[in-house]
Amino acid sequence: MTILNEIELKKLLDEFRSLPSENEWVEFKEAKSNFHFDDLGEYFSALSNEANLKNQPYGWLIFGVKDKNKEIVGTQYRENRADLDRLKYEISRHTNDGLSFVEIYELFYPEGRVIMFQIPAAPKGMPTSWKGHYFGRNGESKGPLSIQEIESIRNQRMKEDWSAGICPGATIDDLDKTAIEKAREEYKKKNPRLAEDVDKWDDITFLNKARVTINGQITRAAIILLGKPESEHFLAPAVAKMTWILKDEHNIERDYEHFGPPFILNTNELFAKIRNLKYRYMPDQSLFPIEVNQYDPYVIREALHNCIAHQDYTLQGRINVVEKPEELIFTNLGEFIPKTIENVIERDAPQEYYRNRFLAEAMVNLNMIDTIGSGIKKMFLEQRKRFFPMPDYDLSEPNKVKVTIYGKILDYNYTRMLINHTDLDLSVVIALDKVQKKQRITQEEAKKLRALKLVEGRYPNLYVSAKIAELTGDKTTYIKNRAFNKEHYKQMIISFLRQYKVASRKDIDDLLLDKLSDALDEKQKRKYIGNLLQEMSKKDKTIVNQGSTRYPKWVLTN
């Protein structure tokens, strides 16, 4: 999804205002500052469902425009931008699968401020609910979504399971014999009580029982998992390919190899390409290092098998595994259906809708993935047990999921914290992991970490708290991140002026920049110094500028 710029948004708003009336997927509201939150949630559900039914990618809720004559009147609803952005989280808490706004835009006209809420269409096969209820629209009126409309959306699920499609002309002879034998072995591991029966079944019976074929007919899932290399043409124009790429520390490609069907065998071939070297780190108060492999084999296989299960093969792209000296990057094409990784961790339950349900269930039966919906959380838990950084899920590109697995420690302070605090909730560990990676966390996450006394600093520039620093011995980092109080810096300026009589802005920057908190970037430090000088001259009246605004000359007033 590309973020719309101001010109595009104004053009879109003009198009909506030129409509003869509101329709099922566009709604105008004057929206006073006290617009009820539940009303907002019901409109979210209604516009999302109607966008799906009308084959629109998004629904639009527009505040600050009259619904009758489309006159711009402006709105005071949540004028603070941070409060407006918080709606994404607040809405996601009450919708199924944590669905929320794609984006919330603000436009400013002479007549007033306009807010445009961009609402995703309900996913195929799953109507959008608000607090357990489904809403829709009949023309301009909001109300319950009809039973027929609910079923219409739910029935899309069966239509969209590409992996269950039959390959015309394909037969058992297009499947690889070695791959079928491997499938039998893994099926027996998954179902040990059926081991004797499995040995008696012919190939077609076995594949039907394992739900890889349907009544002896070869499915796309069967070609992907068990097909001969030359059988990939049955999937055309879709593509089933995995690529391993080796890059050096300068991000220069050194080697690569492509793998096609049968994936049940070739995932092992790709896995064997990855150099899982030894990694050593020294725990606190120990003379002996801990030695582990850079990557846990389960995490590698789960990440790769997730790519296979959730790839949108119709987009005609490859599954990529990029190996760098200290990290692995997995990418697959297709929207991340749960929307956020937090939804997956918090729900800890199977999704209501899957892109390739037939393929995913076949992979479960063939012991390639544990159970549908549990693998991602287990990857996080395995990294935590090893005291390594959490996997990174980058969902910023449309129709692409990028997962980074780290094979090194990024911040020893974070690692020592995990060693000493094995009782922390996984959601807390994930939030702290973002802090160590200098990634922005939500205000809700920051509040939770502060309550546990795990972080300090001014939001969003957070760092490890004194309590943890003392425990881990990382007091130096803590002192560098902690700011002295304002009076300390004021006294430094006064002392400088007593000695040298006059100071330019450069003199004062040179005096203070390296002494301010490392939690601030350089721009924030310079702004802090500017505010400090203003306060000393306007409020404290301890200094005065005898130069110009552009070239100040600061001296003491007395």
Side-chain angles (χ1 to χ4, degrees):
M1 153 63 198
T2 303
I3 301 299
L4 300 177
N5 61 38
E6 184 177 355
I7 294 173
E8 292 168 329
L9 285 167
K10 287 187 173 181
K11 182 180 178 183
L12 190 63
L13 182 59
D14 288 342
E15 290 175 7
F16 290 159
R17 291 175 63 202
S18 67
L19 293 170
S21 63
E22 293 172 325
N23 58 34
E24 286 83 354
W25 49 277
V26 177
E27 170 72 23
F28 294 98
K29 286 287 174 191
E30 292 184 48
K32 300 188 186 315
S33 59
N34 61 347
F35 192 83
H36 199 278
F37 179 66
D38 270 334
D39 284 339
L40 182 66
E42 290 175 9
Y43 275 113
F44 181 95
S45 169
L47 293 165
S48 175
N49 290 325
E50 293 297 343
N52 172 296
L53 293 166
K54 300 298 184 292
N55 294 314
Q56 296 293 326
Y58 312 108
W60 292 89
L61 177 61
I62 300 167
F63 281 4
V65 178
K66 284 187 176 182
D67 61 347
K68 297 301 181 187
N69 59 11
K70 311 299 189 305
E71 178 187 355
I72 295 175
V73 293
T75 178
Q76 286 76 49
Y77 182 76
R78 294 206 182 194
E79 291 184 296
N80 182 291
R81 183 67 213 193
D83 290 341
L84 197 60
D85 286 337
R86 197 178 304 120
L87 275 173
K88 289 187 178 182
Y89 170 75
E90 293 170 353
I91 289 289
S92 71
R93 293 181 61 193
H94 303 290
T95 60
N96 47 332
D97 281 333
L99 204 63
S100 191
F101 299 108
V102 175
E103 192 53 70
I104 303 173
Y105 300 99
E106 287 180 294
L107 292 173
F108 296 91
Y109 291 85
E111 301 92 332
R113 166 175 168 259
V114 173
I115 305 173
M116 297 180 69
F117 295 96
Q118 188 177 14
I119 299 169
K124 299 289 186 183
M126 185 171 57
T128 300
S129 66
W130 174 255
K131 294 186 176 180
H133 299 282
Y134 301 104
F135 293 88
R137 283 160 63 80
N138 184 4
E140 300 180 20
S141 302
K142 168 171 65 71
L145 193 65
S146 70
I147 296 295
Q148 293 85 351
E149 289 172 320
I150 291 173
E151 289 306 311
S152 175
I153 295 176
R154 284 179 171 165
N155 287 339
Q156 294 166 356
R157 182 182 309 172
M158 297 304 296
K159 300 173 188 174
E160 293 297 319
D161 192 351
W162 175 89
S163 66
I166 304 301
C167 298
T171 69
I172 190 75
D173 293 330
D174 294 298
L175 303 185
D176 186 281
K177 285 289 185 183
T178 306
I180 294 174
E181 286 305 312
K182 174 68 172 174
R184 284 179 179 271
E185 291 173 20
E186 297 302 326
Y187 186 82
K188 286 190 283 188
K189 289 178 187 176
K190 191 78 174 179
N191 303 278
R193 60 186 181 81
L194 297 175
E196 291 185 11
D197 294 333
V198 172
D199 292 335
K200 298 173 185 176
W201 296 337
D202 61 30
D203 286 345
I204 286 293
T205 302
F206 161 67
L207 295 173
N208 286 339
K209 295 278 189 183
R211 293 184 56 78
V212 181
T213 57
I214 299 174
N215 296 326
Q217 299 179 89
I218 307 302
T219 63
R220 293 184 179 120
I223 296 293
I224 291 169
L225 298 178
L226 308 176
K228 292 177 179 177
E230 61 270 22
S231 69
E232 189 184 347
H233 71 88
F234 286 110
L235 304 176
V239 172
K241 277 280 191 293
M242 301 179 294
T243 297
W244 165 80
I245 303 168
L246 177 66
K247 293 190 175 183
D248 64 17
E249 63 273 15
H250 304 296
N251 206 35
I252 296 173
E253 188 174 306
R254 293 300 183 188
D255 199 3
Y256 71 92
E257 188 165 344
H258 301 302
F259 302 89
F263 279 8
I264 196 171
L265 299 180
N266 286 338
T267 50
N268 287 332
E269 295 297 314
L270 191 154
F271 179 84
K273 286 285 183 182
I274 296 171
R275 301 167 302 169
N276 200 355
L277 306 177
K278 293 294 182 184
Y279 186 85
R280 296 171 181 83
Y281 62 91
M282 190 83 71
D284 284 349
Q285 301 175 343
S286 172
L287 299 176
F288 303 99
I290 291 176
E291 185 175 277
V292 295
N293 288 332
Q294 276 188 296
Y295 310 106
D296 183 274
Y298 172 86
V299 173
I300 297 176
R301 292 183 188 277
E302 185 66 27
L304 180 56
H305 289 162
N306 271 343
C307 289
I308 294 170
H310 302 300
Q311 169 87 339
D312 188 340
Y313 294 92
T314 64
L315 295 177
Q316 303 175 33
R318 297 193 303 261
I319 294 165
N320 287 327
V321 180
V322 179
E323 179 183 351
K324 294 186 175 182
E326 295 179 315
E327 63 186 35
L328 296 175
I329 301 171
F330 299 80
T331 58
N332 70 275
L333 299 184
E335 179 191 9
F336 190 66
I337 293 171
K339 302 301 179 186
T340 68
I341 197 63
E342 287 77 14
N343 290 337
V344 177
I345 301 298
E346 290 171 11
R347 281 175 61 90
D348 194 25
Q351 288 285 122
E352 295 177 27
Y353 164 71
Y354 283 84
R355 178 178 296 109
N356 301 311
R357 177 171 288 276
F358 190 83
L359 174 61
E361 289 178 349
M363 293 177 72
V364 170
N365 293 335
L366 301 184
N367 205 31
M368 296 179 73
I369 51 180
D370 286 344
T371 57
I372 297 179
S374 69
I376 291 178
K377 183 173 183 179
K378 190 173 177 182
M379 286 167 58
F380 279 76
L381 293 172
E382 289 299 323
Q383 287 294 92
R384 173 183 173 168
K385 275 198 297 188
R386 289 156 47 83
F387 312 122
F388 271 47
M390 298 287 103
D392 258 354
Y393 274 74
D394 181 353
L395 310 176
S396 59
E397 290 188 54
N399 284 320
K400 186 174 183 179
V401 178
K402 177 181 175 182
V403 183
T404 301
I405 308 296
Y406 294 91
K408 67 172 182 177
I409 289 172
L410 299 179
D411 183 342
Y412 275 92
N413 197 32
Y414 167 85
T415 301
R416 291 167 182 147
M417 180 273 298
L418 290 187
I419 292 172
N420 289 293
H421 286 264
T422 56
D423 58 337
L424 287 177
D425 183 76
L426 182 58
S427 64
V428 173
V429 175
I430 291 172
L432 277 169
D433 178 68
K434 292 178 185 175
V435 171
Q436 77 153 338
K437 293 171 182 168
K438 308 298 182 187
Q439 295 173 359
R440 190 184 185 98
I441 63 174
T442 66
Q443 291 186 333
E444 288 74 17
E445 288 172 322
K447 185 176 179 181
K448 188 174 184 179
L449 295 182
R450 285 190 195 281
L452 295 170
K453 296 184 172 27
L454 297 176
V455 296
E456 292 181 24
R458 187 174 180 179
Y459 182 83
N461 301 299
L462 301 175
Y463 54 91
V464 68
S465 75
K467 174 184 173 184
I468 299 298
E470 186 175 346
L471 174 67
T472 63
D474 193 13
K475 300 183 183 70
T476 304
T477 299
Y478 169 68
I479 291 299
K480 288 184 70 180
N481 280 317
R482 186 198 56 152
F484 290 102
N485 66 43
K486 202 180 294 183
E487 292 305 316
H488 174 81
Y489 299 120
K490 289 180 180 179
Q491 285 304 314
M492 287 182 68
I493 294 172
I494 290 171
S495 296
F496 184 94
L497 292 175
R498 280 180 181 154
Q499 181 155 353
Y500 298 105
K501 308 306 179 187
V502 65
S504 66
R505 175 59 193 264
K506 182 179 184 303
D507 292 331
I508 293 175
D509 284 348
D510 291 343
L511 175 69
L512 297 183
L513 274 176
D514 64 346
K515 297 173 181 63
L516 292 174
S517 167
D518 280 1
L520 303 177
D521 61 31
E522 184 167 346
K523 183 178 178 182
Q524 290 169 323
K525 287 180 180 181
R526 292 185 187 278
K527 184 176 180 181
Y528 180 90
I529 293 171
N531 292 338
L532 196 69
L533 292 170
Q534 282 292 102
E535 187 172 311
M536 291 177 72
S537 63
K538 301 297 184 185
K539 182 181 176 184
D540 303 346
K541 300 190 183 303
T542 53
I543 62 173
V544 64
N545 179 11
Q546 292 184 342
S548 64
T549 302
R550 189 171 181 182
Y551 299 106
K553 291 182 179 180
W554 295 104
V555 299
L556 294 173
T557 53
N558 187 348

